[in-house]
Each structure stands twice: as structure tokens, then as C-alpha cells.
């Protein structure tokens, strides 16, 4: 039996599920909160569709990312695979659920190959959720 190294981060955002979905799936929105360079974004949000982006770090460094989409259920679930150096890939799941008060519960989860990969991925996902939490309420 192999050991898995996963995480799940949950937040409740002050925005309706449709706005949170738009923030994750529309390049103009995604670039405003994710750290992606808008001119580098390509998002074909459908099962098997490809995406690519150049991410800008706080120190000005840039690094390219790419991958494909798996399960895509509008306003509910988005599976995003990311190509990793060396030919490996990983999948991050984004699950959305509307709350009774018009807010959105979001869960970002991922299985990783090692504790170190998990820690780095979890930190990156936490930063994404922080950016999303600040941006999503401004959409409507």
C-alpha cells in the first residue's frame, strides 16, 4: 500500500458561486487575482481542454505553467491538471457549493507525491485562495 500526501483547504467566500466560477474560468478575472500574466493566459475550460499561463512571483520572477482540465461542472467542480518538470503531472480539484446567505464554500484539494510537494502545493493554494477571497466579492 502506498502512502498518499494530500490536503484540502476550505474557505467561505463573500460572493455568489457564479462569480467564484467566473473568477476561476475567465482569463480577465483569473489574471486579476491569481498572479498570472494576462497576456500569457489561455483557458479552454472543458473536459480535455488545455490551459497555459505565466505566473509572476512577488519578486518579479516569472514561470510558465500548463495543463488540461478534467471534470468540469459549471458552478460546482473544476479539476485542473498541471504539468510538472520531468514529465509528471498533478491534479488540483476545486469544489464549489452555494451557501444559504449567497456566499460560496470552496474546497481546493490535491494529492501529492511527497510531503514536500504537498507543503509547497498547499502553500500555493492558500495564496490563491487569499487572492480569490479578496477579488471575488468585487465581480458583481
Amino acid at each position: 500500500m502506498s502512502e498518499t500526501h494530500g490536503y484540502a483547504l476550505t474557505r467561505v467566500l463573500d460572493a455568489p458561486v457564479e462569480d467564484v466560477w467566473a473568477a476561476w474560468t475567465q482569463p480577465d478575472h483569473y489574471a486579476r487575482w491569481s498572479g498570472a500574466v494576462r497576456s500569457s493566459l489561455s483557458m479552454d475550460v472543458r473536459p480535455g481542454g488545455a490551459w497555459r499561463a505565466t505566473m509572476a512571483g512577488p519578486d518579479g520572477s516569472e514561470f510558465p505553467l500548463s495543463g488540461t482540465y478534467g471534470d468540469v461542472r459549471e458552478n460546482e467542480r473544476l479539476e485542473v491538471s498541471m504539468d510538472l518538470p520531468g514529465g509528471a503531472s498533478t491534479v488540483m480539484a476545486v469544489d464549489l457549493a452555494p451557501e444559504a446567505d449567497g456566499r460560496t464554500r470552496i474546497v481546493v484539494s490535491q494529492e501529492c507525491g511527497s510531503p514536500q510537494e504537498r507543503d509547497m502545493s498547499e502553500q500555493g493554494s492558500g495564496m490563491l485562495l487569499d487572492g480569490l477571497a479578496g477579488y471575488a466579492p468585487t465581480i458583481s
Side-chain angles (χ1 to χ4, degrees):
M1 177 187 260
S2 66
E3 185 177 351
T4 62
H5 307 282
Y7 69 89
L9 300 175
T10 302
R11 302 265 177 96
V12 176
L13 305 176
D14 290 324
V17 71
E18 296 82 8
D19 289 352
V20 176
W21 179 261
W24 270 98
T25 60
Q26 295 176 16
D28 287 335
H29 287 303
Y30 190 78
R32 291 187 181 136
W33 64 270
S34 68
V37 177
R38 173 60 187 103
S39 62
S40 74
L41 274 170
S42 172
M43 303 171 86
D44 182 9
V45 184
R46 62 181 172 85
W51 66 271
R52 68 173 166 51
T54 297
M55 304 303 284
D59 62 355
S61 63
E62 293 187 350
F63 54 96
L65 291 175
S66 63
T68 58
Y69 295 101
D71 190 7
V72 177
R73 286 180 267 152
E74 187 173 354
N75 300 327
E76 291 180 28
R77 183 172 178 85
L78 185 65
E79 286 181 353
V80 182
S81 77
M82 290 175 273
D83 300 327
L84 302 173
S89 67
T90 186
V91 177
M92 177 175 60
V94 178
D95 290 294
L96 307 174
E99 295 280 299
D101 58 4
R103 299 187 309 161
T104 300
R105 178 173 304 278
I106 184 171
V107 179
V108 175
S109 60
Q110 186 174 355
E111 287 295 325
C112 301
S114 69
Q116 296 81 13
E117 182 186 325
R118 179 203 54 225
D119 293 347
M120 287 177 47
S121 295
E122 186 173 11
Q123 180 181 10
S125 292
M127 290 169 45
L128 279 175
L129 286 173
D130 290 345
L132 179 61
Y135 178 71
T138 70
I139 295 175
S140 288

